[in-house]
Amino acid sequence: MPLENIRVSRQARDQLITLKRRTGITQWNTLCRWAFCRSLAEPTPPPAAKHPADSNVEMTWRTFAGQHGDLYWSLLRQRCHADGLALDEETLAQQFRVHLHRGIGYLVGDRNMRTITDLIDYAVDPTAA
């Protein structure tokens, strides 16, 4: 079963605010989906870091994933399997958090990511970034 609630760190919230301003995307869940997929696209596993859930940005799994909840959950399970990690609920929840936070950091730290067009261009051709 996927996570019940997702709450990001204060630092991630601040980064999401920057991404909202840059891209014009107003929904946290949409930006978080982009960030999660951005991290999954990286071939290296994310560092095992603790990310405090100390912001007011919180959403349910259903809000995060929408109608594609099974797809996002399967992508996470596949990634954990590929990284040689256990597929228990605790590991999956922890890996979701580190992928989400890494992805947010990657998106906000990418100097070429200045508009929504840049975000879409990256999705179409990640090698061009």
Side-chain angles (χ1 to χ4, degrees), residues 6 44 62 67 69 85 111 117 125 128:
I6 300 159
T44 58
R62 184 166 176 77
Q67 65 182 349
L85 299 171
R111 293 176 186 242
T117 302
D125 184 8

Side-chain angles (χ1 to χ4, degrees), residues 29-98:
N29 62 326
T30 302
L31 288 169
C32 287
R33 289 176 193 167
W34 278 93
F36 177 66
C37 290
R38 174 65 181 86
S39 179
L40 290 179
E42 284 296 313
T44 58
K50 285 253 182 204
H51 299 282
D54 59 354
S55 78
N56 60 353
V57 176
E58 183 176 20
M59 66 192 89
T60 65
W61 173 260
R62 184 166 176 77
T63 299
F64 166 79
Q67 65 182 349
H68 303 293
D70 291 343
L71 173 64
Y72 288 113
W73 194 248
S74 296
L75 288 171
L76 178 64
R77 288 179 56 87
Q78 172 57 34
R79 178 56 189 259
C80 287
H81 175 73
D83 289 343
L85 299 171
L87 299 179
D88 60 86
E89 297 294 320
E90 184 177 331
T91 302
L92 291 168
Q94 189 269 341
Q95 286 298 301
F96 177 81
R97 287 189 56 76
V98 293

Side-chain angles (χ1 to χ4, degrees), residues 3 7 17 27 33 44 54 61 69 78 80 84 104 108 115 128-129:
L3 304 164
R7 182 180 288 222
I17 289 169
Q27 301 297 317
R33 289 176 193 167
T44 58
D54 59 354
W61 173 260
Q78 172 57 34
C80 287
I104 292 169
V108 80
T115 66

